[in-house]
Amino acid sequence: MSDLLGKKRGRELRDARPAWREEPRTVTRVAKATAMVLAVAMVLVPLWLVIATSLAPGQQIVDNGGWAFWPDTWTFGAYDTVLSNQVTTRALFVSLGVAVLGTFLSLTCTVLLAYALARPGVVGGKPVMLLILFTFLFPPGIIPTYLVVHGLGMIDTYWALFVPVLVNVFNLVVVRGFFQGIPEELYEAARLDGAGELRTLFTIVLPLSKAVIAVVGLFYAVGYWNDFFRGVMFLNDTSMYPLQTVLRGYVTQGEGLGSEFSAEGSLAQAPQAIKMAVVVIATIPILCVYPFIQRYFTKGVLTGAIKS
């Protein structure tokens, strides 16, 4: 009986609010719920307008002034026009290639550098870390970046789309902090077993770092996928443009799909549907990847940030 009373008392103590936290009032709860609903609506309503406009017939879009909240008839004509265009499909494959290769190279360089800087006693580790943090506080401008890329002969090459930003300082600090949080006993056990640094990294450190690597990989992938500025800055050949650069040119200037683009029927009078279709196509890959990474998101970022 005493054991049951003790367990009950323990649960009450765990569930009890601290003295400095008052019981939330009804008005507070309603205000929080209202704020949450408004925040969700501010995200979902514009997203739905984009999707609905891309699926609406052209005449409805024209009648509504360039948008549609609910299509009278659902049509995929805008998507067919966009995906049948060679400029858009080529730009889509360019973006996929840059995102995949850039993310792989960035993760490789970030993990190797973070591991080296996380180990104590590395020769020159502290000066290198200070130099890296200096570039984070004082990033280079556009003109110096362009001059460096031009001097390396990477203008009008795909290398210019990811080499200048191969390692992100924030991601490096997060991964380094995560590596520093791994118990030192594991490193010592690996050394006693005769493992070198690379073997320790691949057999012990990386399997324990899936969360932070998944999150940092998502950061890199989203950054490469959404980037349009480097395409404008470093590429003179429009046939090499990634999807986001094509999207920017078409949405902001009504250009970008090239002379090969032609819409038939009502879509010819409503280019807004095609613009929205391009936006949806450019957003889908990230929406497909994010649910698989989301469960690692909070754990990976917070652990790396706190340990650093």
Side-chain angles (χ1 to χ4, degrees):
M1 186 68 178
S2 59
D3 292 341
L4 293 176
L5 292 175
K7 292 180 180 179
K8 182 178 180 181
R9 180 60 178 169
R11 286 196 298 268
E12 291 177 351
L13 291 175
R14 286 195 303 270
D15 298 336
R17 289 177 172 272
W20 59 87
R21 291 182 59 188
E22 298 180 358
E23 187 71 23
R25 295 177 298 176
T26 304
V27 175
T28 304
R29 293 178 176 177
V30 172
K32 289 181 179 179
T34 304
M36 183 176 296
V37 170
L38 291 176
V40 172
M42 291 174 64
V43 175
L44 294 183
V45 171
L47 179 61
W48 172 250
L49 283 176
V50 170
I51 297 175
T53 303
S54 68
L55 296 172
Q59 190 59 48
Q60 180 186 1
I61 297 173
V62 173
D63 295 340
N64 290 346
W67 61 275
F69 187 79
W70 187 268
D72 294 336
T73 57
W74 300 80
T75 174
F76 291 90
Y79 292 93
D80 182 64
T81 300
V82 171
L83 295 177
S84 63
N85 177 264
Q86 296 182 5
V87 174
T88 308
T89 53
R90 182 168 57 242
L92 178 61
F93 283 111
V94 170
S95 289
L96 287 173
V98 170
V100 173
L101 181 60
T103 301
F104 173 76
L105 294 177
S106 292
L107 274 179
T108 301
C109 295
T110 300
V111 168
L112 293 177
L113 183 56
Y115 179 75
L117 295 175
R119 305 303 301 133
V122 176
V123 178
K126 191 170 183 179
V128 171
M129 189 64 197
L130 291 175
L131 181 62
I132 292 173
L133 292 176
F134 180 83
T135 63
F136 182 66
L137 298 174
F138 303 97
I142 296 176
I143 295 177
T145 302
Y146 181 85
L147 292 177
V148 170
V149 173
H150 184 273
L152 295 175
M154 293 190 295
I155 297 296
D156 274 336
T157 66
Y158 292 122
W159 295 105
L161 299 180
F162 51 84
V163 170
V165 289
L166 202 59
V167 176
N168 181 277
V169 178
F170 174 79
N171 294 338
L172 175 65
V173 171
V174 170
V175 177
R176 174 178 175 268
F178 194 95
F179 288 169
Q180 288 178 327
I182 296 177
E184 187 64 28
E185 290 78 7
L186 294 177
Y187 294 105
E188 294 177 359
R191 284 195 295 269
L192 290 176
D193 289 340
E197 294 294 344
L198 285 178
R199 185 178 176 185
T200 302
L201 173 63
F202 286 105
T203 60
I204 295 179
V205 176
L206 291 185
L208 296 174
S209 308
K210 293 179 181 179
V212 71
I213 291 175
V215 172
V216 170
L218 178 64
F219 285 162
Y220 277 125
V222 171
Y224 284 123
W225 180 262
N226 289 337
D227 182 68
F228 69 89
F229 184 71
R230 279 186 288 274
V232 176
M233 187 174 181
F234 301 129
L235 299 179
N236 298 316
D237 186 359
T238 57
S239 65
M240 300 175 65
Y241 276 179
L243 182 62
Q244 302 298 340
T245 305
V246 172
L247 171 63
R248 172 195 172 273
Y250 185 67
V251 171
T252 60
Q253 304 173 13
E255 302 173 356
L257 292 180
S259 59
E260 302 167 0
F261 166 70
S262 61
E264 298 179 357
S266 59
L267 288 177
Q269 302 174 358
Q272 194 74 9
I274 299 174
K275 293 180 182 181
M276 296 301 102
V278 176
V279 172
V280 173
I281 292 172
T283 307
I284 285 176
I286 298 301
L287 293 180
C288 293
V289 172
Y290 183 78
F292 299 98
I293 308 296
Q294 190 271 339
R295 63 194 182 101
Y296 298 109
F297 197 86
T298 302
K299 178 182 176 182
V301 174
L302 289 183
T303 305
I306 293 173
K307 294 295 183 181
S308 61

